[in-house]
Amino acid sequence: MAFPEKGRARADILRELHERKANDIDWRGGRAPVFVFKAEDEVDRMGREAFVEYFAENALGATSAFPSVRGLEQEVIAMALDLFHAPPGAAGFMSTGGSESILLAVQTCRKFERDRRGQPRHHGNIVASETLHPAFDKAASLMDLEIRRVPVRADLRADVAALEAAIDTDTILLVGSAPNFPYGMIDPIAELSEIALRHRVWLHVDACVGGYLAPFARRLGRPVPEFDFSLPGVRSISADLHKYGFCPKPASTVLYRSAADAAFQPFDFSGWPSGRFITGTVVGTRPAGGVAAAWAVLQHLGAEGYLRIAEQLLGGIDRYRRELGAIPGLFVVGEPDLAIVAYGSHDLDAFAIATQMAQRGWQPGLLRRPRAVHRMMSMLHIDSMAPYLDDLRWAVSELRARPPAPAQPIEARY
Ligand SMILES: Cc1ncc(COP(=O)(O)O)c(C=O)c1O
């Protein structure tokens, strides 16, 4: 497309934008397996209106031009630290998402370790279960670190003994997920906490997915294991507001047990003709809308609202799992703790089921080991459960009646 010589009318452009969405997935109808999270219409409205209130402001200027943005951000962090049972003196930052929070935690830990060891060029390793999110590999490739992915046990749970055995003197970071993305299962963070203390290794909990749901599931009496700062070995946590915090994108939190650890995070530079450049995030300019909207949604819902949503969502997922179990030949992968659920089949190829479902407009999320159909569920998926299950029953009976030609290639991709 050539750079336009002349401008176009606003209405014309808005119409085109709207029309361009015609071939996108109908996420409102629950047809996307991930990407968009929804609680209630009212929560969406709150987030949207707060975002627009701060549409133009730049969170880069939070410590200079926009003290209100700084205040909102500090309050979001304070609320998060409280939720995750942080001790006095804990600290944290907002970021633009899980990947950025993870990059920040890894580089903070690396800086701390380089300082502690007196080795400014130390390249350490990160030990974690193989289910670790690839954002850590991204961080490791940017920072030239080694990642040691330890296979899970046959029951798909993290192998704690093998994780401990993978730690050596160059290990700078042990990571547990709460929950992991592939199976939706929470790693045994209490045991990892003990290992971390014993080996004096920094333990980070990737609660990007579960952070803002697990505390409420626990309060509802669900058997969700401890994962936060109440475990003494947990030194940092990443938790995304734009997932199960139901806040508009971009919004995440990265939190540290102590302000001394957190002090390693900001980038502070003076070696240029302009003024001192100090940022807490990887990015510079950052939408203040994401900060204001997160503050607004947390205040709007409060624990009461999050409990209500957790009850509806997890109750809906219980029903979904029961219905899946009632379809002959299907099984739920592992024992998901929260809202990620994958299902496979004892006798059919799960990717063939996914292909059938795609024909009916349900974009598949896929798991390769075991082959399964994977969904990160929010109220969008609960509200559309009946047509989804109808189509799933159709897909399964269709495959049984007419086994497909050799599987068409289908890629598990995000
Ligand atoms: C466990 C886990 N960690 C980190 C991330 C990265 O989050 P983001 O997509 O916000 O960068 C994800 C994303 O799904 C995730 O599932």
Side-chain angles (χ1 to χ4, degrees):
M1 180 186 242
F3 194 87
E5 259 334 298
K6 292 198 164 149
R8 285 164 62 187
R10 181 174 147 271
D12 182 34
I13 287 173
L14 290 176
R15 188 177 356 94
E16 179 170 340
L17 286 177
H18 191 73
E19 284 165 7
R20 280 191 179 221
K21 290 181 167 188
N23 294 326
D24 287 354
I25 196 82
D26 169 23
W27 58 264
R28 288 183 184 80
R31 286 169 182 275
V34 287
F35 307 126
V36 184
F37 296 78
K38 179 167 178 218
E40 298 165 341
D41 288 339
E42 193 48 34
V43 179
D44 275 7
R45 202 167 306 130
M46 181 75 264
R48 190 184 294 259
E49 287 174 5
F51 197 104
V52 169
E53 177 69 37
Y54 274 83
F55 181 75
E57 282 81 355
N58 185 346
L60 176 62
T63 53
S64 51
F66 308 116
S68 68
V69 176
R70 177 87 185 123
L72 294 169
E73 188 157 353
Q74 281 174 334
E75 289 178 24
V76 167
I77 293 303
M79 289 187 267
L81 292 171
D82 184 32
L83 184 66
F84 300 136
H85 305 108
F93 302 83
M94 284 192 73
S95 82
T96 55
S99 299
E100 191 184 9
S101 287
I102 287 165
L103 285 185
L104 289 164
V106 172
Q107 78 92 27
T108 300
C109 167
R110 187 183 68 156
K111 245 171 150 178
F112 166 85
E113 276 291 328
R114 286 180 163 184
D115 186 69
R116 184 181 74 82
R117 292 168 191 249
Q119 295 176 30
R121 297 267 151 255
H122 181 257
H123 293 282
N125 65 65
I126 299 174
V127 171
S129 192
E130 63 176 327
T131 51
L132 186 72
H133 192 272
F136 287 90
D137 298 73
K138 189 184 274 185
S141 90
L142 286 167
M143 290 174 232
D144 202 11
L145 302 168
E146 179 197 350
I147 297 243
R148 297 183 176 169
R149 284 179 176 265
V150 173
V152 291
R153 302 183 321 202
D155 62 0
L156 305 179
R157 294 219 173 262
D159 187 336
V160 176
L163 283 164
E164 183 166 16
I167 294 173
D168 65 14
T169 53
D170 275 330
T171 301
I172 62 167
L173 186 60
L174 175 66
V175 186
S177 304
N180 61 52
F181 181 77
Y183 307 130
M185 282 152 73
I186 298 184
D187 288 346
I189 308 295
E191 289 170 75
L192 298 185
S193 164
E194 282 171 24
I195 294 175
L197 292 174
R198 196 156 55 237
H199 293 266
R200 293 168 192 257
V201 171
W202 183 310
L203 172 61
H204 178 84
V205 175
D206 177 10
C208 281
V209 172
Y212 291 95
L213 180 56
F216 303 106
R218 281 173 61 81
R219 284 193 212 177
L220 289 171
R222 290 184 170 257
V224 171
E226 276 187 305
F227 70 98
D228 66 15
F229 290 117
S230 51
L231 298 167
V234 174
R235 203 134 154 205
S236 55
I237 295 178
S238 46
D240 291 351
L241 290 156
H242 65 201
K243 293 192 174 76
Y244 291 98
F246 304 108
C247 300
K249 302 172 211 40
S252 175
T253 47
V254 54
L255 310 161
Y256 299 91
R257 175 175 289 280
S258 81
D261 284 348
F264 284 92
Q265 181 169 310
F267 181 74
D268 191 349
F269 180 78
S270 292
W272 69 330
S274 278
R276 184 173 169 200
F277 184 88
I278 176 160
T279 47
T281 47
V282 176
V283 300
T285 287
R286 189 160 59 94
V291 175
W295 181 90
V297 170
L298 290 171
Q299 288 288 310
H300 183 63
L301 281 174
E304 182 190 37
Y306 280 107
L307 280 167
R308 182 179 67 243
I309 292 162
E311 194 162 26
Q312 281 168 17
L313 177 60
L314 297 172
I317 290 172
D318 288 345
R319 262 187 289 128
Y320 176 65
R321 290 174 62 168
R322 274 199 304 276
E323 298 273 359
L324 286 176
I327 300 176
L330 296 196
F331 64 90
V332 170
V333 175
E335 293 168 348
D337 284 304
L338 294 165
I340 291 177
V341 180
Y343 59 87
S345 168
H346 296 296
D347 59 326
L348 298 171
D349 177 10
F351 283 16
I353 298 177
T355 306
Q356 296 287 102
M357 291 298 280
Q359 276 177 28
R360 291 268 168 125
W362 303 99
Q363 188 192 9
L366 297 173
L367 193 61
R368 283 183 296 161
R369 271 182 293 133
R371 279 160 88 94
V373 180
H374 180 277
R375 301 169 89 206
M376 205 186 218
M377 302 181 69
S378 71
M379 289 310 291
L380 297 167
H381 304 98
I382 304 304
D383 294 345
S384 57
M385 194 178 343
Y388 184 87
L389 289 168
D390 283 347
D391 283 345
L392 180 55
R393 288 185 205 99
W394 164 82
V396 166
S397 63
E398 189 69 8
L399 288 170
R400 293 230 166 85
R402 276 178 283 280
Q408 308 94 317
I410 175 168
E411 193 185 23
R413 171 178 187 163
Y414 290 98

